[in-house]
Amino acid sequence: NAGVTQTPKFQVLKTGQSMTLQCAQDMNHEYMSWYRQDPGMGLRLIHYSVGAGITDQGEVPNGYNVSRSTTEDFPLRLLSAAPSQTSVYFCASRRTGYNYGYTFGSGTRLTVV
Amino acid sequence: QQQVKQSPQSLIVQKGGISIINCAYENTAFDYFPWYQQFPGKGPALLIAIRPDVSEKKEGRFTISFNKSAKQFSLHIMDSQPGDSATYFCAAPGGYQKVTFGIGTKLQVIP
């Protein structure tokens, strides 16, 4: 199994540009989420989904959109990139319920200039 | 929003020593407390997890101790090795289908 696959691994954007970070999982996990990781801030939840067609906001949702049309895919869209969105982004999935740990992707390092 | 307080933020341990990382949480109606290990340039990976119907869980050199009344849980790494050098995150249920992570502890094991 590939697990959770994120693309691209690195990206540089100019302020105001838009882009989509891709995330796909092949474990048939119902729950998927996006986190950003910043120095001294830990992992902060951006958006999450408990199944196809269902999404909700996390702790830091502003400037990001998500959709979940299939169980496998959960793309994250940056609408108009800002330098404050420079970060490492992780997609994670797990089975629904609280007794399951996450499987994380390898991350996308995004720099907004 | 659940708060998870993790300490210390950085830790230097000599090879063969014991590494101890602590986490405190506020409130949760759900019982699952994992620790994740992250190496540079990689995503976090589930290391070990505990349900608080037990006070301790051990997997190899890694042990979680849980104190439900104090709302604290800790990770102990016995016989720490240079290969254990990584960032460790605790996590706790943070609301409906949400998980809140601690700030992370950067562990360095020196020879």
Side-chain angles (χ1 to χ4, degrees), chain A residues 21-99:
Chain A
L21 279 61
Q22 301 292 342
C23 176
Q25 54 93 6
D26 61 359
M27 298 170 286
N28 202 31
H29 286 171
E30 303 93 341
Y31 185 97
M32 297 185 73
S33 58
W34 278 100
Y35 285 86
R36 60 177 289 174
Q37 184 175 29
D38 303 288
M41 304 290 287
L43 292 156
R44 293 183 292 169
L45 181 63
I46 304 171
H47 286 285
Y48 67 98
S49 169
V50 298
I54 306 170
T55 64
D56 205 346
Q57 296 181 350
E59 182 184 357
V60 288
N62 293 340
Y64 307 95
N65 271 357
V66 292
S67 60
R68 184 96 178 267
S69 56
T70 67
T71 299
E72 295 78 19
D73 300 298
F74 190 44
L76 178 72
R77 281 181 285 277
L78 279 71
L79 309 174
S80 177
S84 61
Q85 293 179 305
T86 294
S87 186
V88 181
Y89 292 84
F90 288 102
C91 179
S93 72
R94 62 175 170 85
R95 293 175 61 182
T96 300
Y98 288 96
N99 296 340

Side-chain angles (χ1 to χ4, degrees), chain B residues 15-71:
Chain B
K15 178 181 175 181
I18 302 174
S19 304
I20 302 174
I21 306 170
N22 300 299
C23 267
Y25 64 96
E26 292 181 340
N27 290 295
T28 179
F30 307 100
D31 297 332
Y32 180 78
F33 297 90
W35 285 92
Y36 291 83
Q37 180 187 55
Q38 183 182 29
F39 293 106
K42 305 292 186 182
L46 180 65
L47 179 64
I48 186 173
I50 194 170
R51 293 189 61 179
D53 51 353
V54 296
S55 59
E56 185 175 283
K57 181 175 181 180
K58 184 176 182 179
E59 290 185 0
R61 296 184 293 108
F62 300 90
T63 300
I64 297 181
S65 298
F66 193 88
N67 185 334
K68 190 170 185 176
S69 62
K71 297 181 182 177

